[in-house]
Amino acid sequence: MTSRKAFFGTSTTRQIKIEPDLKEEEEEDPGKRQAAEFRPAVGRSVSPEILDTLKTGIKNAARLPIYLAHTHIQYMYEIVEFKGWREIVRSLADTWIENPANPQRAAAAVKRSPSHIDASNLLCGYCLFRLNERPYEAGRYWKRVREDDGLRIHNEHAETVVFIAVEDLDVHNGFFMPLRKGEDVCVDGDANVWFPATGGGGGVCLVFKI
């Protein structure tokens, strides 16, 4: 069985192995299942002004050299950067984790307690992402992150990945479930998530030791 690779990470790029495309006989529409599964983990706590700045930056950002050097690989999504992005996203991450309702929601979603009492010690990664459109054939519409890797970026501790939508996201623009602009969803770093081939959307990814 062959595998493809996508890149996911923060300051240090990490490779994620991707399973071969989903076949219809395995599961016709993972999007419906994932929407129901992850909906209880959705919340909202981000300023609209920040979202508009990030959306524009994500849409206009040039591709990073790592992707230009591997154009033969069909990435599900790409990490993007633009001037000043790190300060904006770090501030957003601090605001998110300092709201007690957010880590509580994350902990409930993954059925784990935070690894630190001090919320400021929970953040372990962050990035901006842009979802890519991929060619596909009938019955080969979805790809998933392998179960043995998941979405995590570190192996030495459990992680919760928080996706924040800077625009409305759903299966029509590459995301794995419906998420309105300003909403975020907390996902276990070990979750088996399928992504559609549509692409076009973008957002923020935060990784916490929860």
Side-chain angles (χ1 to χ4, degrees):
M1 179 174 62
T2 60
S3 65
R4 296 175 182 170
K5 296 178 180 179
F7 287 91
F8 183 84
T10 54
S11 57
T12 302
T13 302
R14 172 187 179 272
Q15 293 181 340
I16 280 185
K17 299 175 184 176
I18 305 302
E19 288 282 11
D21 298 347
L22 177 67
K23 297 180 180 179
E24 284 188 15
E25 62 267 27
E26 294 177 353
E27 185 176 3
E28 183 176 353
D29 187 357
K32 293 180 180 179
R33 172 182 55 79
Q34 291 177 157
E37 178 181 351
F38 295 119
R39 194 65 211 174
V42 172
R44 177 188 292 270
S45 60
V46 181
S47 166
E49 293 77 14
I50 294 177
L51 296 174
D52 290 338
T53 298
L54 292 174
K55 177 182 177 181
T56 300
I58 291 171
K59 295 295 184 184
N60 296 334
R63 298 188 78 190
L64 295 178
I66 187 66
Y67 303 113
L68 295 175
H70 297 86
T71 55
H72 60 289
I73 299 176
Q74 295 177 12
Y75 297 103
M76 292 193 301
Y77 42 78
E78 297 182 8
I79 306 306
V80 298
E81 299 177 356
F82 60 87
K83 185 177 181 180
W85 78 270
R86 194 178 302 275
E87 292 77 12
I88 297 173
V89 175
R90 181 55 196 257
S91 176
L92 188 157
D94 291 342
T95 300
W96 192 94
I97 198 64
E98 288 168 2
N99 180 343
N102 289 329
Q104 290 172 8
R105 171 164 51 90
V110 301
K111 298 179 175 59
R112 289 191 300 267
S113 298
S115 59
H116 292 276
I117 297 177
D118 184 355
S120 64
N121 290 324
L122 294 176
L123 181 67
C124 60
Y126 54 92
C127 68
L128 300 175
F129 66 89
R130 183 167 56 205
L131 298 159
N132 288 332
E133 182 178 1
R134 307 185 313 274
Y136 63 90
E137 301 172 359
R140 302 178 64 82
Y141 183 76
W142 297 82
K143 288 185 180 180
R144 67 174 176 176
V145 178
R146 289 171 59 99
E147 292 183 61
D148 58 350
D149 285 339
L151 294 165
R152 63 169 60 242
I153 61 173
H154 303 98
N155 293 321
E156 60 269 23
H157 52 71
E159 294 180 341
T160 297
V161 180
V162 179
F163 294 101
I164 302 175
V166 301
E167 59 185 310
D168 288 350
L169 297 175
D170 58 26
V171 297
H172 301 296
N173 59 2
F175 203 58
F176 60 88
M177 63 171 289
L179 205 62
R180 300 298 299 272
K181 178 180 178 180
E183 289 184 333
D184 66 79
V185 60
C186 303
V187 181
D188 194 322
D190 291 325
N192 186 11
V193 179
W194 296 86
F195 285 82
T198 44
V204 179
C205 178
L206 310 176
V207 185
F208 295 100
K209 290 181 280 189
I210 297 176

